[in-house]
Amino acid sequence: MQVYPNVTNRDIYRDKLLIFAVLFSNSLKSTEPLKKLLKDQVGDDLIEEVAVPVEDAVLGGEVHVQTIAGKRIAMKVPPLTQSGKSIKLKGLGMPSMDGKTKGDLVAKVRLVIPEEISDEERELFEQLREARNGHSESRRKKEEGRV
């Protein structure tokens, strides 16, 4: 028996699932969930990049995430979520080798900036910029006064 030192049981398990996906892809509605196996994986945890609109990142909201089982679930986005933040969804990752537990689905937030905005939205963003600049200016003046 030939031994491959860098090949783990996880690699073999993953390869079997990919073979299953290829053989039965015609009978499945979608192979998208199985393609997640090709994405980042750490142990039993799957890492998935999730697009979050900028307004939901600032105010908080909800986005939908597709699990490896093909189910779409709602994921809560807390207010003031930064791009790159990881949100862990317990038990929605890869099944463990013994089949008793599952890893987590780790959603990495990627902010989505609108490609087009209406005149009203532009005006609101300009008001926001003015308010934030005024806030920064008043904070700077307070700090200068303390020095």
Side-chain angles (χ1 to χ4, degrees):
M1 181 170 154
Q2 192 172 6
V3 177
Y4 298 95
N6 294 330
V7 176
T8 64
N9 286 340
R10 167 71 47 210
D11 296 327
I12 293 166
Y13 181 68
R14 183 175 167 171
D15 289 346
K16 286 180 180 179
L17 284 173
L18 291 174
I19 290 168
F20 170 81
V22 171
L23 293 175
F24 297 100
S25 62
N26 290 337
S27 63
L28 296 173
K29 282 185 180 178
S30 170
T31 57
E32 282 304 312
L34 293 171
K35 288 180 184 175
K36 287 183 186 227
L37 292 173
L38 297 172
K39 294 188 178 186
D40 292 331
Q41 180 180 347
V42 178
D44 294 333
D45 295 343
L46 294 175
I47 289 79
E48 175 75 15
E49 190 175 83
V50 178
V52 176
V54 69
E55 60 273 17
D56 289 335
V58 172
L59 302 173
E62 205 172 80
V63 294
H64 287 89
V65 179
Q66 188 167 358
T67 67
I68 193 167
K71 189 175 176 185
R72 287 180 54 84
I73 61 162
M75 179 184 84
K76 290 188 181 207
V77 179
L80 303 176
T81 296
Q82 299 294 316
S83 188
K85 177 181 174 137
S86 294
I87 299 173
K88 192 177 282 194
L89 303 170
K90 292 274 188 198
L92 296 176
M94 287 290 292
S96 64
M97 292 302 293
D98 62 12
K100 293 179 182 176
T101 61
K102 285 187 177 182
D104 301 326
L105 176 59
V106 180
K108 285 193 92 161
V109 172
R110 178 179 52 85
L111 292 186
V112 178
I113 307 297
E115 292 184 17
E116 294 180 15
I117 56 175
S118 67
D119 291 340
E120 180 184 4
E121 291 169 320
R122 177 173 299 285
E123 186 176 318
L124 290 170
F125 273 111
E126 287 172 358
Q127 288 175 13
L128 176 62
R129 179 171 41 196
E130 286 175 23
R132 302 241 352 126
N133 285 340
H135 178 72
S136 297
E137 186 67 26
S138 65
R139 185 177 348 152
R140 187 182 60 76
K141 285 180 181 178
K142 282 181 185 177
E143 289 173 0
E144 287 175 358
R146 289 185 203 159
V147 176

